[in-house]
Amino acid sequence: MSAVLAAKEPGPLNFVWSEFVLVLIIFAILFYLVRKYVVPAFEKNFAARRDAIEGGLERAEKAQAEAKATLEKYQQQLAEARSEAAQIRENARAEAQRTIEELRAQAQEESARIVARGEEQLANQRQAVVRELRGEIGTLAVELSERIVQQRLADDAQVSATVDSFLAGLEAQDDATSASTGSAGEPRA
């Protein structure tokens, strides 16, 4: 009996069909419930998460593409601005050079005009001095001849002193004339 009892008694090595069927029914019910309610919720959460991640990646890629396009546009605008600035600088340099050349030409023209006017004035002054000196030389010649005639011709020392004083007077007048015209760089007449 102990062998029959041992066979009928549940144990870890004895297989009980009723328990097996009961576990199989419970497993099928649980499988059905999990498949009907839990798996769709997991799949829904998984899909939402996948969409969020993929959407985030897509948004990140779009944002990165927009940032790259904006960066390229900015770099292009920066290059254009640099080229415009270089062109403006070059135009300013050219304008400054033109202005300098115009001012230099005007200054040279003004200088030439001033020099011509100065030379004209100097020539007029020289002619006036020559006319004045001719008149004075004539007057002095007449005075010298009067002195010579009035003095006795026998006295050579007195005639020599008179001529020397006349020449000294001429030299003094010549020095005064050359001082006024010699400072302008003209040769004496």
Side-chain angles (χ1 to χ4, degrees), residues 30 41-42 46-47 51-52 59 76 86 88-89 110-111 117 130 138-139 145 165 173 175 180:
L30 281 175
F42 276 129
F46 178 72
D51 289 340
R59 283 191 302 272
Q76 182 182 7
I88 289 170
R89 278 194 306 271
E110 185 67 23
S111 173
R117 208 173 341 163
V130 167
T139 305
S145 12
S165 69
Q173 285 181 351
D175 287 343
S180 66

mmCIF file with all atom_site columns, all heavy atoms in Angstrom, residues 30 41-42 46-47 51-52 59 76 86 88-89 110-111 117 130 138-139 145 165 173 175 180:
data_model
loop_
_atom_site.group_PDB
_atom_site.id
_atom_site.type_symbol
_atom_site.label_atom_id
_atom_site.label_alt_id
_atom_site.label_comp_id
_atom_site.label_asym_id
_atom_site.label_entity_id
_atom_site.label_seq_id
_atom_site.pdbx_PDB_ins_code
_atom_site.Cartn_x
_atom_site.Cartn_y
_atom_site.Cartn_z
_atom_site.occupancy
_atom_site.B_iso_or_equiv
_atom_site.pdbx_formal_charge
_atom_site.auth_seq_id
_atom_site.auth_comp_id
_atom_site.auth_asym_id
_atom_site.auth_atom_id
_atom_site.pdbx_PDB_model_num
ATOM 1   N N   . LEU A 1 30  ? -4.367 34.280  -18.681 1.00 0.00 ? 30  LEU A N   1
ATOM 2   C CA  . LEU A 1 30  ? -3.388 35.357  -18.458 1.00 0.00 ? 30  LEU A CA  1
ATOM 3   C C   . LEU A 1 30  ? -2.766 35.804  -19.795 1.00 0.00 ? 30  LEU A C   1
ATOM 4   O O   . LEU A 1 30  ? -2.568 36.993  -20.042 1.00 0.00 ? 30  LEU A O   1
ATOM 5   C CB  . LEU A 1 30  ? -2.291 34.900  -17.492 1.00 0.00 ? 30  LEU A CB  1
ATOM 6   C CG  . LEU A 1 30  ? -2.661 34.916  -16.011 1.00 0.00 ? 30  LEU A CG  1
ATOM 7   C CD1 . LEU A 1 30  ? -1.535 34.322  -15.174 1.00 0.00 ? 30  LEU A CD1 1
ATOM 8   C CD2 . LEU A 1 30  ? -2.956 36.317  -15.531 1.00 0.00 ? 30  LEU A CD2 1
ATOM 9   N N   . ALA A 1 41  ? -1.043 48.337  -24.816 1.00 0.00 ? 41  ALA A N   1
ATOM 10  C CA  . ALA A 1 41  ? -0.612 49.511  -24.052 1.00 0.00 ? 41  ALA A CA  1
ATOM 11  C C   . ALA A 1 41  ? 0.901  49.680  -24.178 1.00 0.00 ? 41  ALA A C   1
ATOM 12  O O   . ALA A 1 41  ? 1.407  50.802  -24.366 1.00 0.00 ? 41  ALA A O   1
ATOM 13  C CB  . ALA A 1 41  ? -1.011 49.373  -22.594 1.00 0.00 ? 41  ALA A CB  1
ATOM 14  N N   . PHE A 1 42  ? 1.640  48.567  -24.082 1.00 0.00 ? 42  PHE A N   1
ATOM 15  C CA  . PHE A 1 42  ? 3.098  48.635  -24.262 1.00 0.00 ? 42  PHE A CA  1
ATOM 16  C C   . PHE A 1 42  ? 3.438  49.102  -25.672 1.00 0.00 ? 42  PHE A C   1
ATOM 17  O O   . PHE A 1 42  ? 4.330  49.930  -25.873 1.00 0.00 ? 42  PHE A O   1
ATOM 18  C CB  . PHE A 1 42  ? 3.746  47.287  -23.985 1.00 0.00 ? 42  PHE A CB  1
ATOM 19  C CG  . PHE A 1 42  ? 4.021  47.027  -22.533 1.00 0.00 ? 42  PHE A CG  1
ATOM 20  C CD1 . PHE A 1 42  ? 3.592  45.847  -21.932 1.00 0.00 ? 42  PHE A CD1 1
ATOM 21  C CD2 . PHE A 1 42  ? 4.724  47.935  -21.766 1.00 0.00 ? 42  PHE A CD2 1
ATOM 22  C CE1 . PHE A 1 42  ? 3.850  45.593  -20.596 1.00 0.00 ? 42  PHE A CE1 1
ATOM 23  C CE2 . PHE A 1 42  ? 4.977  47.677  -20.431 1.00 0.00 ? 42  PHE A CE2 1
ATOM 24  C CZ  . PHE A 1 42  ? 4.545  46.504  -19.835 1.00 0.00 ? 42  PHE A CZ  1
ATOM 25  N N   . PHE A 1 46  ? 5.340  52.290  -26.617 1.00 0.00 ? 46  PHE A N   1
ATOM 26  C CA  . PHE A 1 46  ? 6.564  52.120  -27.405 1.00 0.00 ? 46  PHE A CA  1
ATOM 27  C C   . PHE A 1 46  ? 6.506  52.966  -28.682 1.00 0.00 ? 46  PHE A C   1
ATOM 28  O O   . PHE A 1 46  ? 7.478  53.625  -29.051 1.00 0.00 ? 46  PHE A O   1
ATOM 29  C CB  . PHE A 1 46  ? 6.757  50.639  -27.743 1.00 0.00 ? 46  PHE A CB  1
ATOM 30  C CG  . PHE A 1 46  ? 7.953  50.377  -28.588 1.00 0.00 ? 46  PHE A CG  1
ATOM 31  C CD1 . PHE A 1 46  ? 9.240  50.480  -28.075 1.00 0.00 ? 46  PHE A CD1 1
ATOM 32  C CD2 . PHE A 1 46  ? 7.808  50.041  -29.936 1.00 0.00 ? 46  PHE A CD2 1
ATOM 33  C CE1 . PHE A 1 46  ? 10.341 50.238  -28.867 1.00 0.00 ? 46  PHE A CE1 1
ATOM 34  C CE2 . PHE A 1 46  ? 8.910  49.814  -30.732 1.00 0.00 ? 46  PHE A CE2 1
ATOM 35  C CZ  . PHE A 1 46  ? 10.180 49.918  -30.205 1.00 0.00 ? 46  PHE A CZ  1
ATOM 36  N N   . ALA A 1 47  ? 5.325  52.942  -29.348 1.00 0.00 ? 47  ALA A N   1
ATOM 37  C CA  . ALA A 1 47  ? 5.178  53.734  -30.571 1.00 0.00 ? 47  ALA A CA  1
ATOM 38  C C   . ALA A 1 47  ? 5.271  55.226  -30.258 1.00 0.00 ? 47  ALA A C   1
ATOM 39  O O   . ALA A 1 47  ? 5.906  55.991  -30.994 1.00 0.00 ? 47  ALA A O   1
ATOM 40  C CB  . ALA A 1 47  ? 3.848  53.406  -31.248 1.00 0.00 ? 47  ALA A CB  1
ATOM 41  N N   . ASP A 1 51  ? 8.027  57.512  -31.741 1.00 0.00 ? 51  ASP A N   1
ATOM 42  C CA  . ASP A 1 51  ? 7.688  58.729  -32.476 1.00 0.00 ? 51  ASP A CA  1
ATOM 43  C C   . ASP A 1 51  ? 8.343  59.956  -31.844 1.00 0.00 ? 51  ASP A C   1
ATOM 44  O O   . ASP A 1 51  ? 8.819  60.851  -32.551 1.00 0.00 ? 51  ASP A O   1
ATOM 45  C CB  . ASP A 1 51  ? 6.169  58.920  -32.528 1.00 0.00 ? 51  ASP A CB  1
ATOM 46  C CG  . ASP A 1 51  ? 5.485  57.912  -33.441 1.00 0.00 ? 51  ASP A CG  1
ATOM 47  O OD1 . ASP A 1 51  ? 6.194  57.334  -34.296 1.00 0.00 ? 51  ASP A OD1 1
ATOM 48  O OD2 . ASP A 1 51  ? 4.266  57.727  -33.302 1.00 0.00 ? 51  ASP A OD2 1
ATOM 49  N N   . ALA A 1 52  ? 8.343  60.020  -30.526 1.00 0.00 ? 52  ALA A N   1
ATOM 50  C CA  . ALA A 1 52  ? 8.966  61.152  -29.842 1.00 0.00 ? 52  ALA A CA  1
ATOM 51  C C   . ALA A 1 52  ? 10.464 61.187  -30.128 1.00 0.00 ? 52  ALA A C   1
ATOM 52  O O   . ALA A 1 52  ? 11.038 62.240  -30.415 1.00 0.00 ? 52  ALA A O   1
ATOM 53  C CB  . ALA A 1 52  ? 8.714  61.077  -28.338 1.00 0.00 ? 52  ALA A CB  1
ATOM 54  N N   . ARG A 1 59  ? 13.431 66.593  -35.787 1.00 0.00 ? 59  ARG A N   1
ATOM 55  C CA  . ARG A 1 59  ? 13.457 68.020  -35.456 1.00 0.00 ? 59  ARG A CA  1
ATOM 56  C C   . ARG A 1 59  ? 14.894 68.491  -35.257 1.00 0.00 ? 59  ARG A C   1
ATOM 57  O O   . ARG A 1 59  ? 15.262 69.587  -35.692 1.00 0.00 ? 59  ARG A O   1
ATOM 58  C CB  . ARG A 1 59  ? 12.623 68.281  -34.201 1.00 0.00 ? 59  ARG A CB  1
ATOM 59  C CG  . ARG A 1 59  ? 11.138 68.269  -34.436 1.00 0.00 ? 59  ARG A CG  1
ATOM 60  C CD  . ARG A 1 59  ? 10.371 68.788  -33.234 1.00 0.00 ? 59  ARG A CD  1
ATOM 61  N NE  . ARG A 1 59  ? 10.626 68.041  -32.003 1.00 0.00 ? 59  ARG A NE  1
ATOM 62  C CZ  . ARG A 1 59  ? 9.966  66.961  -31.600 1.00 0.00 ? 59  ARG A CZ  1
ATOM 63  N NH1 . ARG A 1 59  ? 8.972  66.496  -32.344 1.00 0.00 ? 59  ARG A NH1 1
ATOM 64  N NH2 . ARG A 1 59  ? 10.255 66.358  -30.474 1.00 0.00 ? 59  ARG A NH2 1
ATOM 65  N N   . GLN A 1 76  ? 28.128 83.832  -46.168 1.00 0.00 ? 76  GLN A N   1
ATOM 66  C CA  . GLN A 1 76  ? 28.039 84.479  -47.470 1.00 0.00 ? 76  GLN A CA  1
ATOM 67  C C   . GLN A 1 76  ? 27.844 85.985  -47.297 1.00 0.00 ? 76  GLN A C   1
ATOM 68  O O   . GLN A 1 76  ? 28.496 86.780  -47.958 1.00 0.00 ? 76  GLN A O   1
ATOM 69  C CB  . GLN A 1 76  ? 26.873 83.882  -48.273 1.00 0.00 ? 76  GLN A CB  1
ATOM 70  C CG  . GLN A 1 76  ? 26.725 84.468  -49.658 1.00 0.00 ? 76  GLN A CG  1
ATOM 71  C CD  . GLN A 1 76  ? 25.531 83.871  -50.394 1.00 0.00 ? 76  GLN A CD  1
ATOM 72  O OE1 . GLN A 1 76  ? 24.759 83.126  -49.819 1.00 0.00 ? 76  GLN A OE1 1
ATOM 73  N NE2 . GLN A 1 76  ? 25.386 84.228  -51.646 1.00 0.00 ? 76  GLN A NE2 1
ATOM 74  N N   . ALA A 1 86  ? 36.042 96.220  -48.541 1.00 0.00 ? 86  ALA A N   1
ATOM 75  C CA  . ALA A 1 86  ? 37.299 96.362  -49.277 1.00 0.00 ? 86  ALA A CA  1
ATOM 76  C C   . ALA A 1 86  ? 37.104 97.296  -50.471 1.00 0.00 ? 86  ALA A C   1
ATOM 77  O O   . ALA A 1 86  ? 37.969 98.134  -50.752 1.00 0.00 ? 86  ALA A O   1
ATOM 78  C CB  . ALA A 1 86  ? 37.786 94.991  -49.741 1.00 0.00 ? 86  ALA A CB  1
ATOM 79  N N   . ILE A 1 88  ? 34.848 99.682  -50.727 1.00 0.00 ? 88  ILE A N   1
ATOM 80  C CA  . ILE A 1 88  ? 34.665 101.036 -50.189 1.00 0.00 ? 88  ILE A CA  1
ATOM 81  C C   . ILE A 1 88  ? 36.015 101.630 -49.812 1.00 0.00 ? 88  ILE A C   1
ATOM 82  O O   . ILE A 1 88  ? 36.295 102.803 -50.106 1.00 0.00 ? 88  ILE A O   1
ATOM 83  C CB  . ILE A 1 88  ? 33.697 101.023 -48.982 1.00 0.00 ? 88  ILE A CB  1
ATOM 84  C CG1 . ILE A 1 88  ? 32.269 100.741 -49.477 1.00 0.00 ? 88  ILE A CG1 1
ATOM 85  C CG2 . ILE A 1 88  ? 33.749 102.332 -48.222 1.00 0.00 ? 88  ILE A CG2 1
ATOM 86  C CD1 . ILE A 1 88  ? 31.269 100.478 -48.371 1.00 0.00 ? 88  ILE A CD1 1
ATOM 87  N N   . ARG A 1 89  ? 36.872 100.812 -49.156 1.00 0.00 ? 89  ARG A N   1
ATOM 88  C CA  . ARG A 1 89  ? 38.216 101.303 -48.789 1.00 0.00 ? 89  ARG A CA  1
ATOM 89  C C   . ARG A 1 89  ? 39.009 101.671 -50.037 1.00 0.00 ? 89  ARG A C   1
ATOM 90  O O   . ARG A 1 89  ? 39.683 102.696 -50.082 1.00 0.00 ? 89  ARG A O   1
ATOM 91  C CB  . ARG A 1 89  ? 38.967 100.249 -47.979 1.00 0.00 ? 89  ARG A CB  1
ATOM 92  C CG  . ARG A 1 89  ? 38.626 100.210 -46.511 1.00 0.00 ? 89  ARG A CG  1
ATOM 93  C CD  . ARG A 1 89  ? 39.643 99.391  -45.720 1.00 0.00 ? 89  ARG A CD  1
ATOM 94  N NE  . ARG A 1 89  ? 39.839 98.049  -46.226 1.00 0.00 ? 89  ARG A NE  1
ATOM 95  C CZ  . ARG A 1 89  ? 39.142 96.987  -45.873 1.00 0.00 ? 89  ARG A CZ  1
ATOM 96  N NH1 . ARG A 1 89  ? 38.163 97.104  -45.009 1.00 0.00 ? 89  ARG A NH1 1
ATOM 97  N NH2 . ARG A 1 89  ? 39.411 95.798  -46.376 1.00 0.00 ? 89  ARG A NH2 1
ATOM 98  N N   . GLU A 1 110 ? 48.866 127.712 -58.591 1.00 0.00 ? 110 GLU A N   1
ATOM 99  C CA  . GLU A 1 110 ? 48.914 128.917 -57.763 1.00 0.00 ? 110 GLU A CA  1
ATOM 100 C C   . GLU A 1 110 ? 50.353 129.366 -57.569 1.00 0.00 ? 110 GLU A C   1
ATOM 101 O O   . GLU A 1 110 ? 50.658 130.566 -57.647 1.00 0.00 ? 110 GLU A O   1
ATOM 102 C CB  . GLU A 1 110 ? 48.244 128.656 -56.404 1.00 0.00 ? 110 GLU A CB  1
ATOM 103 C CG  . GLU A 1 110 ? 48.139 129.868 -55.519 1.00 0.00 ? 110 GLU A CG  1
ATOM 104 C CD  . GLU A 1 110 ? 47.184 130.926 -56.073 1.00 0.00 ? 110 GLU A CD  1
ATOM 105 O OE1 . GLU A 1 110 ? 46.300 130.604 -56.876 1.00 0.00 ? 110 GLU A OE1 1
ATOM 106 O OE2 . GLU A 1 110 ? 47.347 132.092 -55.687 1.00 0.00 ? 110 GLU A OE2 1
ATOM 107 N N   . SER A 1 111 ? 51.241 128.410 -57.345 1.00 0.00 ? 111 SER A N   1
ATOM 108 C CA  . SER A 1 111 ? 52.657 128.741 -57.179 1.00 0.00 ? 111 SER A CA  1
ATOM 109 C C   . SER A 1 111 ? 53.217 129.352 -58.454 1.00 0.00 ? 111 SER A C   1
ATOM 110 O O   . SER A 1 111 ? 53.943 130.358 -58.400 1.00 0.00 ? 111 SER A O   1
ATOM 111 C CB  . SER A 1 111 ? 53.438 127.481 -56.818 1.00 0.00 ? 111 SER A CB  1
ATOM 112 O OG  . SER A 1 111 ? 54.818 127.741 -56.797 1.00 0.00 ? 111 SER A OG  1
ATOM 113 N N   . ARG A 1 117 ? 53.754 136.438 -61.222 1.00 0.00 ? 117 ARG A N   1
ATOM 114 C CA  . ARG A 1 117 ? 53.427 137.783 -60.749 1.00 0.00 ? 117 ARG A CA  1
ATOM 115 C C   . ARG A 1 117 ? 54.636 138.431 -60.099 1.00 0.00 ? 117 ARG A C   1
ATOM 116 O O   . ARG A 1 117 ? 54.922 139.615 -60.320 1.00 0.00 ? 117 ARG A O   1
ATOM 117 C CB  . ARG A 1 117 ? 52.271 137.700 -59.753 1.00 0.00 ? 117 ARG A CB  1
ATOM 118 C CG  . ARG A 1 117 ? 51.438 138.941 -59.715 1.00 0.00 ? 117 ARG A CG  1
ATOM 119 C CD  . ARG A 1 117 ? 50.207 138.794 -58.864 1.00 0.00 ? 117 ARG A CD  1
ATOM 120 N NE  . ARG A 1 117 ? 49.874 137.396 -58.646 1.00 0.00 ? 117 ARG A NE  1
ATOM 121 C CZ  . ARG A 1 117 ? 49.064 136.941 -57.720 1.00 0.00 ? 117 ARG A CZ  1
ATOM 122 N NH1 . ARG A 1 117 ? 48.486 137.774 -56.922 1.00 0.00 ? 117 ARG A NH1 1
ATOM 123 N NH2 . ARG A 1 117 ? 48.820 135.671 -57.577 1.00 0.00 ? 117 ARG A NH2 1
ATOM 124 N N   . VAL A 1 130 ? 66.214 151.124 -63.300 1.00 0.00 ? 130 VAL A N   1
ATOM 125 C CA  . VAL A 1 130 ? 67.126 151.485 -64.399 1.00 0.00 ? 130 VAL A CA  1
ATOM 126 C C   . VAL A 1 130 ? 66.813 152.888 -64.896 1.00 0.00 ? 130 VAL A C   1
ATOM 127 O O   . VAL A 1 130 ? 67.716 153.702 -65.134 1.00 0.00 ? 130 VAL A O   1
ATOM 128 C CB  . VAL A 1 130 ? 67.027 150.431 -65.521 1.00 0.00 ? 130 VAL A CB  1
ATOM 129 C CG1 . VAL A 1 130 ? 67.697 150.921 -66.802 1.00 0.00 ? 130 VAL A CG1 1
ATOM 130 C CG2 . VAL A 1 130 ? 67.652 149.117 -65.066 1.00 0.00 ? 130 VAL A CG2 1
ATOM 131 N N   . GLY A 1 138 ? 72.702 160.800 -65.306 1.00 0.00 ? 138 GLY A N   1
ATOM 132 C CA  . GLY A 1 138 ? 72.769 162.029 -66.113 1.00 0.00 ? 138 GLY A CA  1
ATOM 133 C C   . GLY A 1 138 ? 72.964 163.240 -65.229 1.00 0.00 ? 138 GLY A C   1
ATOM 134 O O   . GLY A 1 138 ? 73.793 164.115 -65.506 1.00 0.00 ? 138 GLY A O   1
ATOM 135 N N   . THR A 1 139 ? 72.169 163.296 -64.145 1.00 0.00 ? 139 THR A N   1
ATOM 136 C CA  . THR A 1 139 ? 72.272 164.424 -63.223 1.00 0.00 ? 139 THR A CA  1
ATOM 137 C C   . THR A 1 139 ? 73.650 164.455 -62.592 1.00 0.00 ? 139 THR A C   1
ATOM 138 O O   . THR A 1 139 ? 74.282 165.516 -62.480 1.00 0.00 ? 139 THR A O   1
ATOM 139 C CB  . THR A 1 139 ? 71.185 164.313 -62.138 1.00 0.00 ? 139 THR A CB  1
ATOM 140 O OG1 . THR A 1 139 ? 69.918 164.197 -62.757 1.00 0.00 ? 139 THR A OG1 1
ATOM 141 C CG2 . THR A 1 139 ? 71.202 165.511 -61.219 1.00 0.00 ? 139 THR A CG2 1
ATOM 142 N N   . SER A 1 145 ? 80.661 167.306 -64.065 1.00 0.00 ? 145 SER A N   1
ATOM 143 C CA  . SER A 1 145 ? 81.298 168.209 -65.017 1.00 0.00 ? 145 SER A CA  1
ATOM 144 C C   . SER A 1 145 ? 81.302 169.629 -64.485 1.00 0.00 ? 145 SER A C   1
ATOM 145 O O   . SER A 1 145 ? 82.262 170.371 -64.710 1.00 0.00 ? 145 SER A O   1
ATOM 146 C CB  . SER A 1 145 ? 80.652 168.192 -66.385 1.00 0.00 ? 145 SER A CB  1
ATOM 147 O OG  . SER A 1 145 ? 79.463 167.568 -66.472 1.00 0.00 ? 145 SER A OG  1
ATOM 148 N N   . SER A 1 165 ? 85.092 160.719 -55.042 1.00 0.00 ? 165 SER A N   1
ATOM 149 C CA  . SER A 1 165 ? 83.854 160.932 -54.296 1.00 0.00 ? 165 SER A CA  1
ATOM 150 C C   . SER A 1 165 ? 82.640 160.638 -55.177 1.00 0.00 ? 165 SER A C   1
ATOM 151 O O   . SER A 1 165 ? 81.636 160.100 -54.720 1.00 0.00 ? 165 SER A O   1
ATOM 152 C CB  . SER A 1 165 ? 83.795 162.350 -53.723 1.00 0.00 ? 165 SER A CB  1
ATOM 153 O OG  . SER A 1 165 ? 83.642 163.291 -54.773 1.00 0.00 ? 165 SER A OG  1
ATOM 154 N N   . GLN A 1 173 ? 74.920 154.170 -54.207 1.00 0.00 ? 173 GLN A N   1
ATOM 155 C CA  . GLN A 1 173 ? 73.607 154.042 -54.841 1.00 0.00 ? 173 GLN A CA  1
ATOM 156 C C   . GLN A 1 173 ? 73.434 152.651 -55.445 1.00 0.00 ? 173 GLN A C   1
ATOM 157 O O   . GLN A 1 173 ? 72.369 152.071 -55.395 1.00 0.00 ? 173 GLN A O   1
ATOM 158 C CB  . GLN A 1 173 ? 73.436 155.105 -55.929 1.00 0.00 ? 173 GLN A CB  1
ATOM 159 C CG  . GLN A 1 173 ? 73.187 156.482 -55.373 1.00 0.00 ? 173 GLN A CG  1
ATOM 160 C CD  . GLN A 1 173 ? 73.004 157.511 -56.488 1.00 0.00 ? 173 GLN A CD  1
ATOM 161 O OE1 . GLN A 1 173 ? 73.233 157.206 -57.653 1.00 0.00 ? 173 GLN A OE1 1
ATOM 162 N NE2 . GLN A 1 173 ? 72.601 158.721 -56.107 1.00 0.00 ? 173 GLN A NE2 1
ATOM 163 N N   . ASP A 1 175 ? 74.887 149.900 -54.375 1.00 0.00 ? 175 ASP A N   1
ATOM 164 C CA  . ASP A 1 175 ? 74.692 148.949 -53.271 1.00 0.00 ? 175 ASP A CA  1
ATOM 165 C C   . ASP A 1 175 ? 73.253 149.012 -52.751 1.00 0.00 ? 175 ASP A C   1
ATOM 166 O O   . ASP A 1 175 ? 72.648 147.987 -52.447 1.00 0.00 ? 175 ASP A O   1
ATOM 167 C CB  . ASP A 1 175 ? 75.675 149.245 -52.135 1.00 0.00 ? 175 ASP A CB  1
ATOM 168 C CG  . ASP A 1 175 ? 77.104 148.839 -52.498 1.00 0.00 ? 175 ASP A CG  1
ATOM 169 O OD1 . ASP A 1 175 ? 77.266 148.049 -53.469 1.00 0.00 ? 175 ASP A OD1 1
ATOM 170 O OD2 . ASP A 1 175 ? 78.045 149.304 -51.823 1.00 0.00 ? 175 ASP A OD2 1
ATOM 171 N N   . SER A 1 180 ? 68.012 146.109 -52.731 1.00 0.00 ? 180 SER A N   1
ATOM 172 C CA  . SER A 1 180 ? 66.568 145.989 -52.932 1.00 0.00 ? 180 SER A CA  1
ATOM 173 C C   . SER A 1 180 ? 66.239 144.985 -54.023 1.00 0.00 ? 180 SER A C   1
ATOM 174 O O   . SER A 1 180 ? 65.250 144.291 -53.950 1.00 0.00 ? 180 SER A O   1
ATOM 175 C CB  . SER A 1 180 ? 65.945 147.351 -53.254 1.00 0.00 ? 180 SER A CB  1
ATOM 176 O OG  . SER A 1 180 ? 66.426 147.803 -54.518 1.00 0.00 ? 180 SER A OG  1
#
